[in-house]
Amino acid sequence: MRNRQGAGTGPGAGLTLAAVAVVQFMVSLDLSVVNVGLPEIAAGLGFGAVGLTWVIHAYALTFGGLLLLGGKAADRYGRRRVLLGGLALFGLASLAGGFAQQPGHLVAARAAQGIGAAALAPAALALLTATFPAGKARVRAFGVWSAMNAAGGALGVLAGGLLTEYAGWRWVMFVNVPMAVCALALAWRGVPATPPTARGGRPDVLGAVLATAGTTLLVFGVVRTDRYAWTSPVTLTTLAVAALLLAAFVRVERTTSREPLLRPGLLANRSVAGANAYNLLVGAAMAAAFYFVSLYVQRVLGTGPALTGVMFLPFALGVVVGSVLAVRLGYRVPPRGLLVAGALLTATGFAWFGLISPDGSFATDVLGPSVVASVGFGLCLGPVVSVATAGVAPRETGTASGLLTSSRQIGASLGLAALGTVADHRTGATATRQTLNDGYALGLTLSAALLTAAALIALTALRPTRPPAPGKTPDPTAALTGSAAE
């Protein structure tokens, strides 16, 4: 049932899709569910202002820094095995975080969540790619994946607000446990224990250490610009060391006698490189925009956490609508066209957000741009995954999946830190409603600029595809498979 016409049509494929959907929803939700509850977490555990940021960064750093290693592990040790192990760790870490009694306990639990997510996210995406290799089933599968990805991120804000206000902040951690158990059951029952796709050769441990350390240090250096200026010796030294580590990683990957963590030729693939550059900018823009809009609604409009979460519902629904449109249009519109249209539509929504006013309201300043930006975001989620993984050799699908998720997460961390610094500079020392509004507006306008740049990358890095022959149902990934080999 893996031929071109009937790929991914059996009952096992349905269980695999269900497991991957739950996994992606859970991972995406965990990126945003704690944001609204941060003030309550600080009060409950006694976090200081600087220490509280590590509730976010501990997850982001381990998740983004270890994704390449997680993708390689999925290829080498088997996708099912890595997926189950990652789910078990993620669920246990969530449970431990909910019972945290000190700031260090929660930060450690968030870091462990990131490690689990770095293992299970690329394994799940590689399973999806292998289970649905072509045809309509692939388009539908990636549509479901993108909808769950977006819904988890958007609904995380809603869930975080409601849980914090009505159940207590600990439930923003506990909520992951039943989802992890459900995904474990689905994966255990429905995902076959296929042999690893990459065999032979010794693992490139040095490359893994260099890549993880360099990526983590790069994110750390930019994140800490809230305390140390960009031109300070601390920031410059941190970024310089990160650059040296990443340069050493590239050299090791080119010269190692072991199996490289990331084969250099993979990034020479035009589709893979273009999709990851696109994804990096989209991740940067989306993370920053979520942050600014959430703070605008709470600090400028004076809305409580639960109602703030409710206000993000139109965004979540819009992303689902955009994902469904991407599936329907995927039979007729080349993926490059969907990527360009999605980025430009989202950029339009963020530029509209840039007009926010301190005397505004949800109806006039939030609802309209939320709908426009969310539909555009939904349009590009599925196609970028399909572009980044189509045509990649089976032994490297886990690596390619990890690279794509890593580019998104690293982009999110870098974008939030960089645009947050710019917005704070605009706000100045006196944080009034007007100055806060001005800072958030600038950050949202810059997010629109990042998405415009992403659209330009899609136009220049990805080749256009020919229209399908009359009377023939197109495979939206067929042209990508051809171009990916070039």
Side-chain angles (χ1 to χ4, degrees):
M1 290 185 291
R2 299 293 174 89
N3 56 46
R4 189 175 181 82
Q5 297 300 323
T9 57
L15 285 174
T16 298
L17 178 59
V20 170
V22 174
V23 164
Q24 192 56 46
F25 181 85
M26 180 180 67
V27 170
S28 297
L29 180 139
D30 209 64
L31 290 169
S32 59
V33 70
V34 302
N35 289 338
V36 178
L38 286 175
E40 294 294 329
I41 292 173
L45 293 181
F47 273 100
V50 174
L52 185 62
T53 64
W54 286 100
V55 177
I56 302 295
H57 298 320
Y59 182 84
L61 289 170
T62 52
F63 187 18
L66 295 173
L67 271 166
L68 276 179
L69 191 58
K72 178 59 69 175
D75 289 334
R76 171 163 292 279
Y77 301 111
R79 299 156 186 161
R80 182 178 185 269
R81 180 183 300 176
V82 172
L83 177 65
L84 293 176
L87 280 168
L89 178 58
F90 193 94
L92 290 173
S94 299
L95 189 64
F99 285 115
Q101 299 300 313
Q102 297 179 15
H105 296 166
L106 183 58
V107 170
R110 289 285 287 169
Q113 278 186 317
I115 296 172
L120 63 91
L125 196 51
L127 277 169
L128 193 68
T129 300
T131 306
F132 302 92
K136 292 183 177 180
R138 180 180 175 90
V139 177
R140 293 193 200 98
F142 278 111
V144 171
W145 179 91
S146 61
M148 298 303 284
N149 181 32
L155 291 176
V157 181
L158 171 62
L162 294 175
L163 289 172
T164 298
E165 188 156 329
Y166 298 115
W169 69 263
R170 295 183 184 277
W171 282 94
V172 303
M173 299 294 292
F174 288 145
V175 71
N176 293 308
V177 178
M179 288 189 289
V181 171
C182 177
L184 264 171
L186 289 169
W188 186 273
R189 179 180 176 84
V191 177
T194 55
T197 56
R199 291 181 175 275
R202 295 175 297 171
D204 179 18
V205 177
L206 178 59
V209 171
L210 289 171
T212 303
T215 303
T216 302
L217 201 58
L218 175 64
V219 174
F220 175 78
V222 177
V223 162
R224 297 309 292 143
T225 54
D226 63 344
R227 184 173 180 181
Y228 303 103
W230 284 95
T231 55
S232 71
V234 172
T235 298
L236 292 176
T237 301
T238 302
L239 295 180
V241 174
L244 288 174
L245 289 172
L246 293 174
F249 165 68
V250 173
R251 180 169 178 78
V252 167
E253 297 306 285
R254 291 182 178 277
T255 60
T256 183
S257 60
R258 302 188 175 194
E259 184 178 349
L261 183 67
L262 177 65
R263 184 176 60 86
L266 186 62
L267 285 177
N269 180 319
R270 185 169 175 173
S271 292
V272 172
N276 277 278
Y278 180 97
N279 211 35
L280 184 100
L281 292 176
V282 170
M286 294 305 300
F290 258 85
Y291 176 77
F292 293 132
V293 173
S294 177
L295 291 182
Y296 169 73
V297 170
Q298 292 186 80
R299 291 185 174 181
V300 178
L301 299 186
T303 308
L307 187 55
T308 296
V310 173
M311 288 181 175
F312 274 85
L313 270 180
F315 188 93
L317 296 175
V319 174
V320 174
V321 170
S323 300
V324 172
L325 284 175
V327 173
R328 294 184 178 276
L329 294 174
Y331 305 124
R332 298 183 294 275
V333 179
R336 187 180 78 158
L338 292 176
L339 293 178
V340 172
L344 291 179
L345 192 59
T346 309
T348 301
F350 287 167
W352 188 354
F353 264 130
L355 303 176
I356 54 175
S357 164
D359 299 317
S361 66
F362 170 73
T364 59
D365 291 66
V366 179
L367 180 59
S370 289
V371 172
V372 173
S374 61
V375 172
F377 185 45
L379 276 176
C380 63
L381 272 177
V384 74
V385 177
S386 186
V387 169
T389 56
V392 174
R395 67 182 182 277
E396 290 188 310
T397 54
T399 304
S401 301
L403 179 63
L404 184 70
T405 313
S406 182
S407 66
R408 170 95 175 271
Q409 185 59 31
I410 291 170
S413 296
L414 295 175
L416 178 55
L419 297 190
T421 299
V422 173
D424 286 343
H425 181 73
R426 171 64 65 89
T427 299
T430 305
T432 65
R433 288 177 66 241
Q434 181 65 58
T435 59
L436 288 172
N437 181 88
D438 293 345
Y440 303 151
L442 176 60
L444 288 162
T445 302
L446 293 175
S447 296
L450 289 177
L451 282 160
T452 304
L456 291 175
I457 286 177
L459 275 174
T460 56
L462 304 177
R463 295 184 183 277
T465 54
R466 297 178 181 177
K472 181 180 179 181
T473 300
D475 172 10
T477 64
L480 294 171
T481 304
S483 65
E486 296 177 0

